Amino acid sequence: MKLEFNPQRIVKNPGKSFDIFSQKVMKSIKRQEKVDASAFSCELMSIGDVFEKQGKKPVMNKMAQRLAETLVNIGDSNLSGIIYSFLIKFNKDNAKIAEQIALNALAIANRQKDSIHIMARSYDLKEIYKQTEYGSEKHLKALYSEKRALKDIVTNYDNVIKKYRTVTREAKPKETYELMLCENIFEIIEILKKKEPKRALEELNQLKEAVSRIKQQGTKEKNLRRIKELSEEIKP
C-alpha cells in the first residue's frame, strides 16, 4: 500500500481522510497487494492526532472500530489488530473506554480462535488492570487468558503461524513466545504468592517447565534465580 500523505487535507477534514485511507486499504487487500504494517500504523496515527486535536476522539473511535470489524470479516485479523492496539493507546486517558475496546477485540479474537490476537488483547487488558486494579480478579483473568493463548502458540507453533501469516507481517520466533509465557507466569505468581500460596506453587511448577525450554543459557539462568527467590517467598 503506497502512502500519499496530505497533511493539509487531514487537518481540514480528518473524517474524509479516514474514508480515503479505508478505501485505499480495502482496494489493496482485494488486489492482494502487500499492505505495509508500519505505513498503515503511521497513517492511522496521523489521522488520529488530528481527531484528538479537534476534540473528536469519539468519532475516530467509531470509524476505526468499524474498519477493524470489516477487516476481521474479510479475514485480515492482523491489520484489525493494529487498529485495536492503536485505539487502546489512543484512549489511554480513559481506562473505561480502553477496557471496552480491548474486551470487544478479545471477544472477536476468541470467536476466530486466533491465539496470536487473543494473547495481544489479553496483554492489553492486563496492562490496563495493572494500572487501575492490580491483583483483582479481572487482572488475573486477563493474565490467565494471555497464558492459555501463549501455551497454545508454543505447543502448536507451526499451525498457529500458518494461520497468522498474511500479506502484512510475519510472526515472531517460537523462542519469543516461550519467553513471554515465562514472564506471564512470573506475573501470576507475584499476585498469588501472598493470598493464594498453594495456587502460586502450582504455577511455580509450570514455570519451571516453561523455563526448562529456554535455549538462551544466560536468560535461563536468570529465570532460574528468580524461581529460587520466589520459592523462598511462598509459604504454603
Side-chain angles (χ1 to χ4, degrees), residues 150-204:
L150 283 165
K151 284 181 79 172
D152 183 51
I153 295 166
V154 168
T155 306
N156 303 298
Y157 182 77
D158 290 339
N159 288 333
V160 170
I161 296 321
K162 276 180 196 172
K163 184 177 179 182
Y164 177 76
R165 283 199 184 108
T166 69
V167 293
T168 53
R169 55 167 61 178
E170 292 289 317
K172 298 179 178 74
K174 183 178 178 180
E175 290 75 15
T176 301
Y177 296 107
E178 289 173 338
L179 291 171
M180 290 170 72
L181 177 59
C182 292
E183 199 55 44
N184 166 276
I185 302 174
F186 272 119
E187 289 185 69
I188 292 172
I189 294 170
E190 282 295 334
I191 292 172
L192 294 177
K193 66 183 181 183
K194 293 262 172 68
K195 60 181 183 179
E196 295 187 61
K198 286 185 179 178
R199 272 177 74 189
L201 284 173
E202 290 171 9
E203 292 294 333
L204 196 65

Side-chain angles (χ1 to χ4, degrees), residues 17-191:
S17 294
F18 191 89
D19 285 338
I20 293 168
F21 169 67
S22 300
Q23 290 163 16
K24 186 166 54 177
V25 170
M26 297 307 294
K27 280 181 185 176
S28 293
I29 291 170
K30 284 176 183 174
R31 292 172 183 162
Q32 295 188 316
E33 296 172 351
K34 182 175 177 61
V35 179
D36 183 85
S38 178
F40 177 89
S41 181
C42 284
E43 187 156 351
L44 187 67
M45 287 189 288
S46 295
I47 297 170
D49 285 345
V50 177
F51 271 113
E52 185 171 11
K53 285 172 186 171
Q54 294 184 0
K56 297 177 180 177
K57 285 177 82 168
V59 179
M60 179 65 178
N61 288 339
K62 186 176 180 180
M63 295 182 81
Q65 285 188 86
R66 190 166 61 229
L67 175 59
E69 287 162 10
T70 300
L71 288 165
V72 168
N73 289 335
I74 63 171
D76 198 319
S77 58
N78 295 310
L79 288 180
S80 67
I82 292 171
I83 294 174
Y84 285 124
S85 183
F86 158 78
L87 284 172
I88 290 160
K89 293 183 181 77
F90 187 62
N91 290 281
K92 66 185 177 197
D93 58 341
N94 191 323
K96 285 293 176 190
I97 292 176
E99 178 189 13
Q100 195 54 57
I101 290 168
L103 285 169
N104 291 345
L106 178 59
I108 291 168
N110 276 317
R111 285 200 300 272
Q112 301 280 328
K113 296 182 179 178
D114 182 345
S115 295
I116 296 282
H117 290 94
I118 291 170
M119 174 207 67
R121 302 292 76 82
S122 298
Y123 176 89
D124 290 331
L125 281 167
K126 171 191 78 176
E127 290 300 301
I128 291 167
Y129 298 138
K130 191 186 288 186
Q131 298 301 319
T132 60
E133 46 185 293
Y134 180 86
S136 68
E137 283 305 310
K138 287 202 286 189
H139 187 189
L140 274 170
K141 185 178 179 182
L143 279 163
Y144 277 115
S145 175
E146 181 189 28
K147 179 185 171 186
R148 285 191 298 273
L150 283 165
K151 284 181 79 172
D152 183 51
I153 295 166
V154 168
T155 306
N156 303 298
Y157 182 77
D158 290 339
N159 288 333
V160 170
I161 296 321
K162 276 180 196 172
K163 184 177 179 182
Y164 177 76
R165 283 199 184 108
T166 69
V167 293
T168 53
R169 55 167 61 178
E170 292 289 317
K172 298 179 178 74
K174 183 178 178 180
E175 290 75 15
T176 301
Y177 296 107
E178 289 173 338
L179 291 171
M180 290 170 72
L181 177 59
C182 292
E183 199 55 44
N184 166 276
I185 302 174
F186 272 119
E187 289 185 69
I188 292 172
I189 294 170
E190 282 295 334
I191 292 172

